[in-house]
PDB file of all heavy atoms in Angstrom:
ATOM      1  N   ALA O  21     -28.426 -77.452 192.049  1.00  0.00           N
ATOM      2  CA  ALA O  21     -27.388 -78.023 192.911  1.00  0.00           C
ATOM      3  C   ALA O  21     -26.002 -77.784 192.315  1.00  0.00           C
ATOM      4  O   ALA O  21     -25.061 -77.419 193.030  1.00  0.00           O
ATOM      5  CB  ALA O  21     -27.633 -79.519 193.110  1.00  0.00           C
ATOM      6  N   TYR O  22     -25.875 -77.980 191.005  1.00  0.00           N
ATOM      7  CA  TYR O  22     -24.586 -77.743 190.343  1.00  0.00           C
ATOM      8  C   TYR O  22     -24.161 -76.283 190.504  1.00  0.00           C
ATOM      9  O   TYR O  22     -23.009 -75.987 190.832  1.00  0.00           O
ATOM     10  CB  TYR O  22     -24.679 -78.100 188.862  1.00  0.00           C
ATOM     11  CG  TYR O  22     -23.479 -77.620 188.073  1.00  0.00           C
ATOM     12  CD1 TYR O  22     -22.314 -78.366 188.015  1.00  0.00           C
ATOM     13  CD2 TYR O  22     -23.506 -76.393 187.411  1.00  0.00           C
ATOM     14  CE1 TYR O  22     -21.198 -77.917 187.316  1.00  0.00           C
ATOM     15  CE2 TYR O  22     -22.405 -75.927 186.722  1.00  0.00           C
ATOM     16  CZ  TYR O  22     -21.257 -76.705 186.670  1.00  0.00           C
ATOM     17  OH  TYR O  22     -20.158 -76.228 185.998  1.00  0.00           O
ATOM     18  N   ARG O  23     -25.106 -75.351 190.267  1.00  0.00           N
ATOM     19  CA  ARG O  23     -24.782 -73.928 190.336  1.00  0.00           C
ATOM     20  C   ARG O  23     -24.297 -73.538 191.729  1.00  0.00           C
ATOM     21  O   ARG O  23     -23.327 -72.792 191.888  1.00  0.00           O
ATOM     22  CB  ARG O  23     -26.013 -73.093 189.971  1.00  0.00           C
ATOM     23  CG  ARG O  23     -25.730 -71.600 189.839  1.00  0.00           C
ATOM     24  CD  ARG O  23     -26.982 -70.767 189.738  1.00  0.00           C
ATOM     25  NE  ARG O  23     -27.755 -70.810 190.959  1.00  0.00           N
ATOM     26  CZ  ARG O  23     -28.933 -71.403 191.067  1.00  0.00           C
ATOM     27  NH1 ARG O  23     -29.477 -71.997 190.027  1.00  0.00           N
ATOM     28  NH2 ARG O  23     -29.567 -71.423 192.231  1.00  0.00           N
ATOM     29  N   VAL O  24     -24.966 -74.048 192.739  1.00  0.00           N
ATOM     30  CA  VAL O  24     -24.597 -73.724 194.119  1.00  0.00           C
ATOM     31  C   VAL O  24     -23.209 -74.257 194.451  1.00  0.00           C
ATOM     32  O   VAL O  24     -22.411 -73.599 195.118  1.00  0.00           O
ATOM     33  CB  VAL O  24     -25.645 -74.307 195.093  1.00  0.00           C
ATOM     34  CG1 VAL O  24     -25.173 -74.154 196.534  1.00  0.00           C
ATOM     35  CG2 VAL O  24     -26.988 -73.605 194.912  1.00  0.00           C
ATOM     36  N   GLU O  25     -22.906 -75.453 193.987  1.00  0.00           N
ATOM     37  CA  GLU O  25     -21.656 -76.122 194.342  1.00  0.00           C
ATOM     38  C   GLU O  25     -20.472 -75.701 193.481  1.00  0.00           C
ATOM     39  O   GLU O  25     -19.319 -75.829 193.901  1.00  0.00           O
ATOM     40  CB  GLU O  25     -21.832 -77.642 194.236  1.00  0.00           C
ATOM     41  CG  GLU O  25     -22.842 -78.200 195.226  1.00  0.00           C
ATOM     42  CD  GLU O  25     -23.186 -79.655 194.976  1.00  0.00           C
ATOM     43  OE1 GLU O  25     -22.720 -80.218 193.948  1.00  0.00           O
ATOM     44  OE2 GLU O  25     -23.916 -80.233 195.790  1.00  0.00           O
ATOM     45  N   ALA O  26     -20.743 -75.185 192.285  1.00  0.00           N
ATOM     46  CA  ALA O  26     -19.660 -74.974 191.321  1.00  0.00           C
ATOM     47  C   ALA O  26     -18.801 -73.760 191.627  1.00  0.00           C
ATOM     48  O   ALA O  26     -17.621 -73.733 191.257  1.00  0.00           O
ATOM     49  CB  ALA O  26     -20.236 -74.852 189.904  1.00  0.00           C
ATOM     50  N   GLU O  27     -19.363 -72.748 192.272  1.00  0.00           N
ATOM     51  CA  GLU O  27     -18.604 -71.521 192.513  1.00  0.00           C
ATOM     52  C   GLU O  27     -18.814 -70.994 193.926  1.00  0.00           C
ATOM     53  O   GLU O  27     -19.803 -71.306 194.581  1.00  0.00           O
ATOM     54  CB  GLU O  27     -19.000 -70.429 191.496  1.00  0.00           C
ATOM     55  CG  GLU O  27     -18.330 -70.591 190.141  1.00  0.00           C
ATOM     56  CD  GLU O  27     -16.817 -70.435 190.195  1.00  0.00           C
ATOM     57  OE1 GLU O  27     -16.315 -69.850 191.171  1.00  0.00           O
ATOM     58  OE2 GLU O  27     -16.149 -70.904 189.265  1.00  0.00           O
ATOM     59  N   ALA O  28     -17.872 -70.151 194.366  1.00  0.00           N
ATOM     60  CA  ALA O  28     -17.933 -69.552 195.697  1.00  0.00           C
ATOM     61  C   ALA O  28     -19.087 -68.553 195.781  1.00  0.00           C
ATOM     62  O   ALA O  28     -19.655 -68.139 194.774  1.00  0.00           O
ATOM     63  CB  ALA O  28     -16.611 -68.852 196.022  1.00  0.00           C
ATOM     64  N   ARG O  29     -19.407 -68.169 197.018  1.00  0.00           N
ATOM     65  CA  ARG O  29     -20.588 -67.357 197.281  1.00  0.00           C
ATOM     66  C   ARG O  29     -20.600 -66.040 196.514  1.00  0.00           C
ATOM     67  O   ARG O  29     -21.630 -65.625 195.975  1.00  0.00           O
ATOM     68  CB  ARG O  29     -20.679 -67.084 198.788  1.00  0.00           C
ATOM     69  CG  ARG O  29     -21.834 -66.188 199.175  1.00  0.00           C
ATOM     70  CD  ARG O  29     -22.084 -66.225 200.662  1.00  0.00           C
ATOM     71  NE  ARG O  29     -20.854 -66.095 201.429  1.00  0.00           N
ATOM     72  CZ  ARG O  29     -20.738 -66.533 202.678  1.00  0.00           C
ATOM     73  NH1 ARG O  29     -21.739 -67.146 203.255  1.00  0.00           N
ATOM     74  NH2 ARG O  29     -19.604 -66.369 203.331  1.00  0.00           N
ATOM     75  N   HIS O  30     -19.473 -65.345 196.420  1.00  0.00           N
ATOM     76  CA  HIS O  30     -19.487 -64.012 195.809  1.00  0.00           C
ATOM     77  C   HIS O  30     -19.690 -64.070 194.293  1.00  0.00           C
ATOM     78  O   HIS O  30     -19.912 -63.043 193.656  1.00  0.00           O
ATOM     79  CB  HIS O  30     -18.204 -63.244 196.153  1.00  0.00           C
ATOM     80  CG  HIS O  30     -16.955 -63.809 195.542  1.00  0.00           C
ATOM     81  ND1 HIS O  30     -16.317 -64.918 196.057  1.00  0.00           N
ATOM     82  CD2 HIS O  30     -16.234 -63.417 194.462  1.00  0.00           C
ATOM     83  CE1 HIS O  30     -15.242 -65.176 195.312  1.00  0.00           C
ATOM     84  NE2 HIS O  30     -15.175 -64.285 194.354  1.00  0.00           N
ATOM     85  N   ARG O  31     -19.620 -65.273 193.694  1.00  0.00           N
ATOM     86  CA  ARG O  31     -19.906 -65.412 192.258  1.00  0.00           C
ATOM     87  C   ARG O  31     -21.306 -65.954 191.998  1.00  0.00           C
ATOM     88  O   ARG O  31     -21.699 -66.112 190.836  1.00  0.00           O
ATOM     89  CB  ARG O  31     -18.865 -66.331 191.597  1.00  0.00           C
ATOM     90  CG  ARG O  31     -17.446 -65.765 191.589  1.00  0.00           C
ATOM     91  CD  ARG O  31     -16.564 -66.540 190.620  1.00  0.00           C
ATOM     92  NE  ARG O  31     -15.185 -66.102 190.720  1.00  0.00           N
ATOM     93  CZ  ARG O  31     -14.230 -66.748 191.402  1.00  0.00           C
ATOM     94  NH1 ARG O  31     -14.531 -67.880 192.028  1.00  0.00           N
ATOM     95  NH2 ARG O  31     -12.999 -66.290 191.454  1.00  0.00           N
ATOM     96  N   GLN O  32     -22.053 -66.248 193.058  1.00  0.00           N
ATOM     97  CA  GLN O  32     -23.357 -66.859 192.863  1.00  0.00           C
ATOM     98  C   GLN O  32     -24.339 -65.931 192.151  1.00  0.00           C
ATOM     99  O   GLN O  32     -25.168 -66.386 191.358  1.00  0.00           O
ATOM    100  CB  GLN O  32     -23.934 -67.305 194.214  1.00  0.00           C
ATOM    101  CG  GLN O  32     -23.303 -68.571 194.770  1.00  0.00           C
ATOM    102  CD  GLN O  32     -23.522 -69.771 193.870  1.00  0.00           C
ATOM    103  OE1 GLN O  32     -24.618 -69.982 193.354  1.00  0.00           O
ATOM    104  NE2 GLN O  32     -22.483 -70.571 193.680  1.00  0.00           N
ATOM    105  N   ALA O  33     -24.281 -64.632 192.400  1.00  0.00           N
ATOM    106  CA  ALA O  33     -25.194 -63.704 191.719  1.00  0.00           C
ATOM    107  C   ALA O  33     -24.893 -63.652 190.225  1.00  0.00           C
ATOM    108  O   ALA O  33     -25.803 -63.554 189.397  1.00  0.00           O
ATOM    109  CB  ALA O  33     -25.098 -62.312 192.321  1.00  0.00           C
ATOM    110  N   ALA O  34     -23.604 -63.713 189.859  1.00  0.00           N
ATOM    111  CA  ALA O  34     -23.240 -63.737 188.441  1.00  0.00           C
ATOM    112  C   ALA O  34     -23.695 -65.051 187.802  1.00  0.00           C
ATOM    113  O   ALA O  34     -24.174 -65.058 186.656  1.00  0.00           O
ATOM    114  CB  ALA O  34     -21.731 -63.571 188.283  1.00  0.00           C
ATOM    115  N   MET O  35     -23.544 -66.160 188.526  1.00  0.00           N
ATOM    116  CA  MET O  35     -24.052 -67.450 188.035  1.00  0.00           C
ATOM    117  C   MET O  35     -25.554 -67.351 187.817  1.00  0.00           C
ATOM    118  O   MET O  35     -26.085 -67.837 186.803  1.00  0.00           O
ATOM    119  CB  MET O  35     -23.739 -68.550 189.054  1.00  0.00           C
ATOM    120  CG  MET O  35     -22.261 -68.832 189.287  1.00  0.00           C
ATOM    121  SD  MET O  35     -21.515 -69.886 188.029  1.00  0.00           S
ATOM    122  CE  MET O  35     -22.036 -71.511 188.609  1.00  0.00           C
ATOM    123  N   ALA O  36     -26.257 -66.714 188.760  1.00  0.00           N
ATOM    124  CA  ALA O  36     -27.702 -66.551 188.638  1.00  0.00           C
ATOM    125  C   ALA O  36     -28.063 -65.655 187.461  1.00  0.00           C
ATOM    126  O   ALA O  36     -29.035 -65.914 186.741  1.00  0.00           O
ATOM    127  CB  ALA O  36     -28.273 -65.975 189.934  1.00  0.00           C
ATOM    128  N   ALA O  37     -27.277 -64.592 187.245  1.00  0.00           N
ATOM    129  CA  ALA O  37     -27.578 -63.645 186.162  1.00  0.00           C
ATOM    130  C   ALA O  37     -27.489 -64.314 184.791  1.00  0.00           C
ATOM    131  O   ALA O  37     -28.369 -64.128 183.944  1.00  0.00           O
ATOM    132  CB  ALA O  37     -26.612 -62.457 186.228  1.00  0.00           C
ATOM    133  N   THR O  38     -26.416 -65.082 184.561  1.00  0.00           N
ATOM    134  CA  THR O  38     -26.292 -65.751 183.264  1.00  0.00           C
ATOM    135  C   THR O  38     -27.344 -66.850 183.117  1.00  0.00           C
ATOM    136  O   THR O  38     -27.882 -67.078 182.033  1.00  0.00           O
ATOM    137  CB  THR O  38     -24.878 -66.337 183.071  1.00  0.00           C
ATOM    138  OG1 THR O  38     -24.523 -67.108 184.231  1.00  0.00           O
ATOM    139  CG2 THR O  38     -23.859 -65.230 182.884  1.00  0.00           C
ATOM    140  N   TYR O  39     -27.664 -67.520 184.227  1.00  0.00           N
ATOM    141  CA  TYR O  39     -28.713 -68.538 184.217  1.00  0.00           C
ATOM    142  C   TYR O  39     -30.057 -67.915 183.831  1.00  0.00           C
ATOM    143  O   TYR O  39     -30.781 -68.439 182.970  1.00  0.00           O
ATOM    144  CB  TYR O  39     -28.808 -69.188 185.597  1.00  0.00           C
ATOM    145  CG  TYR O  39     -29.943 -70.164 185.764  1.00  0.00           C
ATOM    146  CD1 TYR O  39     -29.820 -71.482 185.351  1.00  0.00           C
ATOM    147  CD2 TYR O  39     -31.149 -69.767 186.357  1.00  0.00           C
ATOM    148  CE1 TYR O  39     -30.868 -72.382 185.506  1.00  0.00           C
ATOM    149  CE2 TYR O  39     -32.187 -70.651 186.521  1.00  0.00           C
ATOM    150  CZ  TYR O  39     -32.051 -71.960 186.101  1.00  0.00           C
ATOM    151  OH  TYR O  39     -33.093 -72.841 186.258  1.00  0.00           O
ATOM    152  N   VAL O  40     -30.392 -66.782 184.464  1.00  0.00           N
ATOM    153  CA  VAL O  40     -31.656 -66.093 184.173  1.00  0.00           C
ATOM    154  C   VAL O  40     -31.698 -65.633 182.717  1.00  0.00           C
ATOM    155  O   VAL O  40     -32.733 -65.733 182.050  1.00  0.00           O
ATOM    156  CB  VAL O  40     -31.855 -64.898 185.130  1.00  0.00           C
ATOM    157  CG1 VAL O  40     -32.998 -64.006 184.670  1.00  0.00           C
ATOM    158  CG2 VAL O  40     -32.108 -65.392 186.549  1.00  0.00           C
ATOM    159  N   ALA O  41     -30.562 -65.140 182.197  1.00  0.00           N
ATOM    160  CA  ALA O  41     -30.521 -64.695 180.803  1.00  0.00           C
ATOM    161  C   ALA O  41     -30.834 -65.854 179.858  1.00  0.00           C
ATOM    162  O   ALA O  41     -31.679 -65.725 178.951  1.00  0.00           O
ATOM    163  CB  ALA O  41     -29.140 -64.116 180.486  1.00  0.00           C
ATOM    164  N   GLY O  42     -30.176 -66.980 180.061  1.00  0.00           N
ATOM    165  CA  GLY O  42     -30.452 -68.146 179.224  1.00  0.00           C
ATOM    166  C   GLY O  42     -31.877 -68.632 179.376  1.00  0.00           C
ATOM    167  O   GLY O  42     -32.534 -69.017 178.393  1.00  0.00           O
ATOM    168  N   TYR O  43     -32.381 -68.608 180.601  1.00  0.00           N
ATOM    169  CA  TYR O  43     -33.736 -69.069 180.905  1.00  0.00           C
ATOM    170  C   TYR O  43     -34.776 -68.218 180.185  1.00  0.00           C
ATOM    171  O   TYR O  43     -35.713 -68.745 179.557  1.00  0.00           O
ATOM    172  CB  TYR O  43     -33.944 -68.991 182.418  1.00  0.00           C
ATOM    173  CG  TYR O  43     -35.106 -69.785 182.958  1.00  0.00           C
ATOM    174  CD1 TYR O  43     -34.915 -71.077 183.442  1.00  0.00           C
ATOM    175  CD2 TYR O  43     -36.392 -69.244 183.025  1.00  0.00           C
ATOM    176  CE1 TYR O  43     -35.974 -71.809 183.963  1.00  0.00           C
ATOM    177  CE2 TYR O  43     -37.446 -69.961 183.530  1.00  0.00           C
ATOM    178  CZ  TYR O  43     -37.231 -71.250 184.012  1.00  0.00           C
ATOM    179  OH  TYR O  43     -38.296 -71.964 184.517  1.00  0.00           O
ATOM    180  N   ARG O  44     -34.601 -66.885 180.245  1.00  0.00           N
ATOM    181  CA  ARG O  44     -35.580 -65.982 179.620  1.00  0.00           C
ATOM    182  C   ARG O  44     -35.549 -66.101 178.092  1.00  0.00           C
ATOM    183  O   ARG O  44     -36.592 -66.026 177.438  1.00  0.00           O
ATOM    184  CB  ARG O  44     -35.303 -64.539 180.046  1.00  0.00           C
ATOM    185  CG  ARG O  44     -35.542 -64.260 181.528  1.00  0.00           C
ATOM    186  CD  ARG O  44     -36.981 -64.482 181.926  1.00  0.00           C
ATOM    187  NE  ARG O  44     -37.219 -64.203 183.337  1.00  0.00           N
ATOM    188  CZ  ARG O  44     -37.744 -63.085 183.796  1.00  0.00           C
ATOM    189  NH1 ARG O  44     -38.069 -62.108 182.967  1.00  0.00           N
ATOM    190  NH2 ARG O  44     -37.951 -62.929 185.089  1.00  0.00           N
ATOM    191  N   VAL O  45     -34.367 -66.267 177.526  1.00  0.00           N
ATOM    192  CA  VAL O  45     -34.269 -66.468 176.074  1.00  0.00           C
ATOM    193  C   VAL O  45     -35.002 -67.754 175.680  1.00  0.00           C
ATOM    194  O   VAL O  45     -35.726 -67.795 174.683  1.00  0.00           O
ATOM    195  CB  VAL O  45     -32.797 -66.527 175.628  1.00  0.00           C
ATOM    196  CG1 VAL O  45     -32.688 -66.989 174.177  1.00  0.00           C
ATOM    197  CG2 VAL O  45     -32.139 -65.158 175.793  1.00  0.00           C
ATOM    198  N   ALA O  46     -34.828 -68.805 176.492  1.00  0.00           N
ATOM    199  CA  ALA O  46     -35.496 -70.077 176.208  1.00  0.00           C
ATOM    200  C   ALA O  46     -37.015 -69.934 176.258  1.00  0.00           C
ATOM    201  O   ALA O  46     -37.732 -70.552 175.452  1.00  0.00           O
ATOM    202  CB  ALA O  46     -35.030 -71.140 177.194  1.00  0.00           C
ATOM    203  N   LEU O  47     -37.518 -69.138 177.199  1.00  0.00           N
ATOM    204  CA  LEU O  47     -38.966 -68.923 177.277  1.00  0.00           C
ATOM    205  C   LEU O  47     -39.495 -68.269 176.002  1.00  0.00           C
ATOM    206  O   LEU O  47     -40.575 -68.622 175.513  1.00  0.00           O
ATOM    207  CB  LEU O  47     -39.311 -68.054 178.496  1.00  0.00           C
ATOM    208  CG  LEU O  47     -39.061 -68.667 179.880  1.00  0.00           C
ATOM    209  CD1 LEU O  47     -39.488 -67.685 180.971  1.00  0.00           C
ATOM    210  CD2 LEU O  47     -39.803 -69.985 180.043  1.00  0.00           C
TER     211      LEU O  47
END
């Protein structure tokens, strides 16, 4: 919810990319 609300639509893929990077490192 925070990710969706924090930035405009055209930055959502970049938000997702950094999120996925952190997520995979955590795994």
Side-chain angles (χ1 to χ4, degrees):
Y22 169 84
R23 187 191 66 249
V24 172
E25 296 171 354
E27 280 296 340
R29 177 166 46 203
H30 67 282
R31 294 195 186 100
Q32 284 298 317
M35 296 279 279
T38 50
Y39 174 84
V40 168
Y43 197 94
R44 293 298 181 100
V45 170
L47 293 181

